[in-house]
Amino acid sequence: MIRVGVNGYGTIGKRVADAVATQPDMELVGVTKTKPNYEAEAAIRQGYDLYAAISDRAAAFDDAGVGIAGTLTDLLDSVDVIVDCTPSGIGARNRSIYAARDTPAIFQGGEDADVADASFNARTSFEAGREADSLRVVSCNTTGLARLLAPLEETYGIEKARVTLVRRGGDPSETERGPINDVVPDPTTVPSHHGPDVNTVLPGVAVDTAALKAPVTTMHTHSVNVTLRETPTTEAVRELLAGESRIFQIPEAAGIDGAGKLKEYAMDRGRPRGDLWENCVWEESINVSGRDLYLFENVHQEADVVPENVDAIRALTTDLSASESVERTDEALGVGL
Amino acid sequence: MIRVGVNGYGTIGKRVADAVATQPDMELVGVTKTKPNYEAEAAIRQGYDLYAAISDRAAAFDDAGVGIAGTLTDLLDSVDVIVDCTPSGIGARNRSIYAARDTPAIFQGGEDADVADASFNARTSFEAGREADSLRVVSCNTTGLARLLAPLEETYGIEKARVTLVRRGGDPSETERGPINDVVPDPTTVPSHHGPDVNTVLPGVAVDTAALKAPVTTMHTHSVNVTLRETPTTEAVRELLAGESRIFQIPEAAGIDGAGKLKEYAMDRGRPRGDLWENCVWEESINVSGRDLYLFENVHQEADVVPENVDAIRALTTDLSASESVERTDEALGVGL
Amino acid sequence: MIRVGVNGYGTIGKRVADAVATQPDMELVGVTKTKPNYEAEAAIRQGYDLYAAISDRAAAFDDAGVGIAGTLTDLLDSVDVIVDCTPSGIGARNRSIYAARDTPAIFQGGEDADVADASFNARTSFEAGREADSLRVVSCNTTGLARLLAPLEETYGIEKARVTLVRRGGDPSETERGPINDVVPDPTTVPSHHGPDVNTVLPGVAVDTAALKAPVTTMHTHSVNVTLRETPTTEAVRELLAGESRIFQIPEAAGIDGAGKLKEYAMDRGRPRGDLWENCVWEESINVSGRDLYLFENVHQEADVVPENVDAIRALTTDLSASESVERTDEALGVGL
Amino acid sequence: MIRVGVNGYGTIGKRVADAVATQPDMELVGVTKTKPNYEAEAAIRQGYDLYAAISDRAAAFDDAGVGIAGTLTDLLDSVDVIVDCTPSGIGARNRSIYAARDTPAIFQGGEDADVADASFNARTSFEAGREADSLRVVSCNTTGLARLLAPLEETYGIEKARVTLVRRGGDPSETERGPINDVVPDPTTVPSHHGPDVNTVLPGVAVDTAALKAPVTTMHTHSVNVTLRETPTTEAVRELLAGESRIFQIPEAAGIDGAGKLKEYAMDRGRPRGDLWENCVWEESINVSGRDLYLFENVHQEADVVPENVDAIRALTTDLSASESVERTDEALGVGL
Ligand SMILES: NC(=O)c1ccc[n+]([C@@H]2O[C@H](COP(=O)([O-])OP(=O)(O)OC[C@H]3O[C@@H](n4cnc5c(N)ncnc54)[C@H](O)[C@@H]3O)[C@@H](O)[C@H]2O)c1
Ligand SMILES: NC(=O)c1ccc[n+]([C@@H]2O[C@H](COP(=O)([O-])OP(=O)(O)OC[C@H]3O[C@@H](n4cnc5c(N)ncnc54)[C@H](O)[C@@H]3O)[C@@H](O)[C@H]2O)c1
Ligand SMILES: NC(=O)c1ccc[n+]([C@@H]2O[C@H](COP(=O)([O-])OP(=O)(O)OC[C@H]3O[C@@H](n4cnc5c(N)ncnc54)[C@H](O)[C@@H]3O)[C@@H](O)[C@H]2O)c1
Ligand SMILES: NC(=O)c1ccc[n+]([C@@H]2O[C@H](COP(=O)([O-])OP(=O)(O)OC[C@H]3O[C@@H](n4cnc5c(N)ncnc54)[C@H](O)[C@@H]3O)[C@@H](O)[C@H]2O)c1
């Protein structure tokens, strides 16, 4: 059993914790919180051992009647790997804490690439974890792009991919985030940093990205163009993508028109938190004209990196192959729609 | 076992079906759909027998490879009670179909009160179901208000309640609904029809309501003022409401500031679809000054009527008391946070 | 001619400047900006003399090729009154700068009441300016409430007013402000501070307010209940309010259903920036039942305090009566729809 | 003087009327409305003669006390050209009415291309109007694309343009339009019809478009990629576009980050209705890498077609050249920021 700790039980951390708990070869030792809010209480009801992320604040948990099992350092002493799910930038600060204890660590996509020995995506760079002591699971958008572009590059070769990312302004619980009634270029410069980030896990593929921020909380939308080196039929591309376990091709007949109905379908299928771990590609949108492939995909920002974190744990701590790990993750979690 | 059918497997219908399926004394015989879309497919995966709501369209299901068990009339022949969850106005049209077969029927709040023998809320008018052959479960907003006002009326007497309803513009999957960037008086006239609707299940209580429509999909927000006949302390009212099984008092310490975090908490607690069956009242907002009680509550439009439908089934078909039914419903469903 | 300076040329400051420029008895000496952005450039094209609000940053204007006439202290030396329109909290810091030069000052509603000698609303407390060296024009919501409640108090007496304020999340240009898809109690406690703020300009009237924040940028919406001491007819109240020059009663026949169409109408009427200086009360919503008056009103947060600032200038610097000032302001600005 | 009538005084119609009224060589004879709502009243206050669009409803205007000068046919008898600004699809129905009276007509982009003899954009197809009896001013998105692509095609040649259109869900006054909290592929198929529509005014240029609908009312956002036949510098493209009178290049130093601040700037510059008649291209976003040009532009859906309608009137009724007309339009209207 791989003993796993999660530092930072927020949007990503709680999902990684749940996913780890479902894996037959993993044990969730505990999770950390900085304060005894509703998420802390829910973690305990969920049966997770709670640790104070910041030792000074341990007393606040006692005051609130929320029992803790110790502090972050206690947790680090009990795990084989720590998954850092703290807000962007905090991971980099935590790095030395993990290193000091020789605890292998996994960071998230909000950190710069150099926070870890290597960047990670299960589909494209599982082997990166072999030699590494730490990994960075790339961001939700980058993960989505890597999954989509990898099979296209392998099968047809990519001359150039051009993607407009219409990003959600904030997660559903982030009430202070905007914009309201505006679609904002963010960054205003094109191409954005997302393309180079894709190259940290899928080197050598030419990807230019342009990023906008929209007043939605549900999902990111990618408007994708890929100029291929070959001229496959539309049907061939649909079949190729249908073969990818972490891509869900939304059937035309389903009557799903946007993120709202997509998440409704996830709920209908019993998904915890309505999570969509897969890229969601509109079947109807996939179209090849000459060497130009077009499609729309949606990426559930809160969820798509979750199976990747599980695989990153195995890449860092086991000898399993990429396909063995992915299969195990998907099976235990229920990936595939 | 009470054999139950659900006609109209949409936002409310799917939840009623799921809730019925969890009840120890009920059997979900089947659900109807008008077309073989993603919800139909999910229903079948869920293990529910699917019936074509409109016989003419049965072939469309075959064409789409979605197996059906029959049509609505077949379903009606196999059930003790049918729960009509079709869109507003369709229920009234279905009424004669149910009556023709002597099938006891439950309608939803989108119908006029005269669609059924009586209007229903488990807290306030369970007994209405005794003599009735049909019941109308009042709307989400009315259900929320009835639950809140009933204990206040019983304990302190209500001189007058005044409530502003800030309603969600549409459900999460209703992409065609607005408004965008506007808060719209709807209806523009005050008081709105919601007050009189409360009186169909809680007669004699003076309630004036004013209704707005906002660009949100998550929950309704009620800004409540109740002028009581007595002058309880704030603490007493908090305790009174804490005693209501279908009211969740959001603890101040939880750090929950709006519908986003509320639904996040529901997910954290493992609620299917993130459903909040309870009125959600901000503890901090409850305040009595003189005889004036103030508070904010949120009502999850998709969910709060669900336990009421389960109770309505029992009111119509059994001799159980209100408290026995409510207890059974809540236990099986997991109501209470 | 009253020489006027505006410190802080943002949402409110630019409107106050424009309004001052239209007044026959006032001269706009200049406005300040902290940085040479698009608003600075537009101010200059508008023909306004620009001053650097912060002397250290004067060079930045030169670098950007935006000519300035001096710094804040130069401006203060040339005016009879300074209107401080800086962000909440900055006004309090500026207070001593104005006092040191004996420059009469007007502050905005984002400041605490004690920033100035008195709080100001032209309809209710014009005389407050007589003895004062500084005034605080109350906030947009408070201004709207004072205008509405004053005639009701005078004519019928107010036993108690209860108002739910559905506030806009941010102004149209504030892209970083939320919420998205959430209506947030803000503050969660009821009553909110808005009621006591009304009493700074309309003492002795019982007003309880509850405040929410919605994902809109256009206007605030007030759901108003006033328990009067008399029982006027609905018609009488409509006539009473129709007599108020700064209340626009939206005719039922106009077909205006929300803030979008309201602002469209303002544009149609040639209003600069689509500004609505008046409270906008839905005629159809005005309803008296017993002693309870109900209505909905919208308040354009960016605009309703503008004529009040103009009047505050006269209250502080002239012997004109309230009605003389208001008439002059309204005439020059074009108030009244 | 060219005598002009506007049939359909809505979002576009009112702007065309205002623009025509400012032109030295045009006379606005009158505008039509179907009902006496707020827009009708405002038109009269504006000094425009009002005609009943539908003769049967003329009485409704009398009833509402809104004086009319006649009905549509009276208007048609008094004009040299009628500009049809009715909702999509109504123009096609009106076509025979205009033809029956030999009244030259201009239609809007909501109509199919075959509604008129030719499609029109002043920059690309002014000459189309010479032989025509009717013109269709292409839609807001198409107009924006034509203006941008024309100089690129002329100067460098376009191998292929790929554009993602993030469209506003509705205009500010359209309260019934969604989506709320969703970005919806619309149409789901890629490429969308917008590319072929560009070719009605700019034939032979390869343009693929993908269209989304977002919960905003302010502007459309275009994420543009153009693979050129040459490799100009970024600076050269910025200069090229700076030379186009109907393209506003948003200076980096302006601090404008989205549609909200853009419209604020339009207001600051005194634009009626805050209208932006120009394509708004973020200077900072313009970037050439190899032969690939990238940029973001915003298009004010309510405004960019307005100067085009004015030019279409001259194309249909005078011998002026494109540049003479455009210059006259821009001068009178104040185009150019
Ligand atoms: N939310 C997304 O959409 C998303 C998607 C992919 C990747 N990410 C990345 O995942 C990481 C986490 O993001 P998130 O959205 O889950 O953030 P979050 O704010 O939801 O959760 C972060 C959690 O960390 C806790 N925390 C704060 N400071 C801490 C500290 N010093 N030590 C331990 N815990 C601390 C917070 O209390 C919170 O519970 C970031 O790098 C982010 O960029 C986020
Ligand atoms: N959505 C809410 O927030 C909410 C809350 C409380 C009550 N209600 C009430 O519940 C009822 C259902 O609303 P909903 O939101 O679930 O609607 P919905 O549109 O989500 O679902 C209605 C379902 O009925 C199906 N249907 C349509 N015509 C039908 C027919 N002739 N026969 C059988 N099925 C048919 C539709 O395909 C759909 O699956 C309405 O009366 C509504 O007012 C809705
Ligand atoms: N925006 C509204 O809806 C609204 C309505 C009524 C009252 N108010 C109040 O008006 C005041 C101004 O608000 P606003 O919305 O116009 O803010 P804003 O941010 O739009 O404008 C403030 C301006 O002040 C400038 N500024 C910042 N620091 C400064 C300094 N030290 N010296 C001089 N100028 C400085 C900023 O550059 C900006 O131009 C606040 O007290 C606010 O509460 C705002
Ligand atoms: N709004 C935009 O963003 C936009 C942009 C570019 C082009 N267009 C096109 O311009 C046209 C008008 O659109 P709009 O947005 O101004 O619509 P709108 O609904 O705002 O205005 C249409 C007007 O026509 C009137 N009308 C309806 N039926 C009529 C009839 N039979 N005869 C005369 N008038 C009638 C309506 O009362 C309304 O005043 C459409 O073709 C549309 O596609 C709209």
Side-chain angles (χ1 to χ4, degrees), chain A residues 14 36-39 41-42 45-46 172-173 175 180-181 253-257 260-261 264-265 267-269 273, chain B residues 14 37-39 41-42 45-46 172-173 175 180-181 253-257 260-261 264-265 267-269 273:
Chain A
K14 64 178 69 163
N37 72 351
Y38 71 97
E39 289 170 310
E41 189 241 309
R45 285 189 189 258
Q46 192 79 0
S173 65
T175 39
I180 302 172
N181 201 33
I256 293 174
D257 67 353
K261 289 201 182 65
E264 180 86 6
Y265 181 60
M267 301 285 198
D268 285 357
R269 290 292 300 275
R273 304 172 182 281
Chain B
K14 64 179 71 163
N37 73 349
Y38 70 97
E39 289 170 309
E41 189 241 308
R45 286 188 188 258
Q46 192 81 359
S173 65
T175 39
I180 302 172
N181 201 34
I256 293 174
D257 67 353
K261 288 203 184 63
E264 181 85 6
Y265 181 59
M267 302 284 197
D268 285 357
R269 290 292 299 275
R273 304 172 183 281

Side-chain angles (χ1 to χ4, degrees), chain C residues 250-267:
Chain C
I250 311 164
E252 190 175 337
I256 293 175
D257 67 353
K261 288 201 184 63
L262 257 177
K263 298 214 64 185
E264 181 86 6
Y265 180 60
M267 302 283 198

Side-chain angles (χ1 to χ4, degrees), chain A residues 101-153:
Chain A
R101 293 174 178 264
D102 279 331
T103 311
I106 292 170
F107 299 91
Q108 304 305 317
E111 307 300 324
D112 288 338
D114 63 10
V115 76
D117 294 343
S119 288
F120 182 86
N121 172 265
R123 176 67 177 77
T124 62
S125 63
F126 191 90
E127 295 306 316
R130 294 298 177 214
E131 310 289 287
D133 289 325
S134 62
L135 289 172
R136 180 187 68 123
V137 172
V138 291
S139 78
C140 42
N141 279 306
T142 305
T143 295
L145 289 174
R147 285 180 185 165
L148 177 71
L149 298 180
L152 296 170
E153 167 73 357

